């Protein structure tokens, strides 16, 4: 890789890193400039974060870990659900019959209420 290409890839990596910090700050601390504790509202969840994508999909229907990974490319769904629960969103985990294995069960996340 030439020097010019290396500088471009380094600049892209820096921009990506700064963007990820901003997404984390926005979703973890709310949208206020001063930060502070989360207010417990779904409005404070950045819609393009993994937690925001999970929340959006749970508004439509209950989903399992495998569905969240395969349909939304969520790296670790339990972490996103944990973040949503910590922000005050009521999500319950319920057992459902496995769609292709009789007698087995899977767990799906259900959105119960938003504050």
């Amino acid at each position: 890789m030439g020097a010019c290409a290396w500088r471009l890839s380094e600049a892209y990596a820096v921009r990506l890193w700064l963007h990820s910090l901003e997404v984390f700050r926005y979703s973890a601390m709310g949208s206020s400039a001063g930060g502070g504790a989360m207010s417990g509202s779904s409005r404070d969840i950045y819609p393009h974060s993994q937690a925001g994508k999970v929340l959006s999909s749970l508004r439509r229907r209950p989903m399992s870990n495998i569905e969240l990974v395969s349909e939304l490319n969520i790296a670790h769904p339990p972490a996103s659900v944990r973040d949503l629960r910590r922000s005050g969103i009521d999500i319950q985990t319920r057992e459902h019959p496995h769609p292709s294995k009789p007698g087995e069960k899977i767990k799906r996340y259900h959105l119960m209420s938003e504050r």
Side-chain angles (χ1 to χ4, degrees), residues 22-79:
E22 181 62 23
V23 167
F24 175 77
R25 184 194 69 79
Y26 189 92
S27 67
M29 304 304 276
S31 59
S32 64
M38 287 186 261
S39 67
S41 170
S42 62
R43 292 174 299 186
D44 294 337
I45 305 297
Y46 186 69
H48 299 294
S49 67
Q50 290 196 9
K53 290 177 185 179
V54 168
L55 180 60
S56 177
S57 66
L58 291 179
R59 286 178 179 143
R60 291 188 296 273
R61 67 180 175 96
M63 296 187 81
S64 69
N65 281 333
I66 298 297
E67 292 167 332
L68 290 168
V69 169
S70 63
E71 295 176 24
L72 301 175
N73 283 332
I74 302 299
H76 187 65

Side-chain angles (χ1 to χ4, degrees), residues 83-95:
D83 293 343
L84 292 170
R85 286 175 172 156
R86 285 182 178 171
S87 71
I89 297 170
D90 186 14
I91 297 174
Q92 291 184 359
T93 305
R94 296 182 182 169
E95 288 189 346

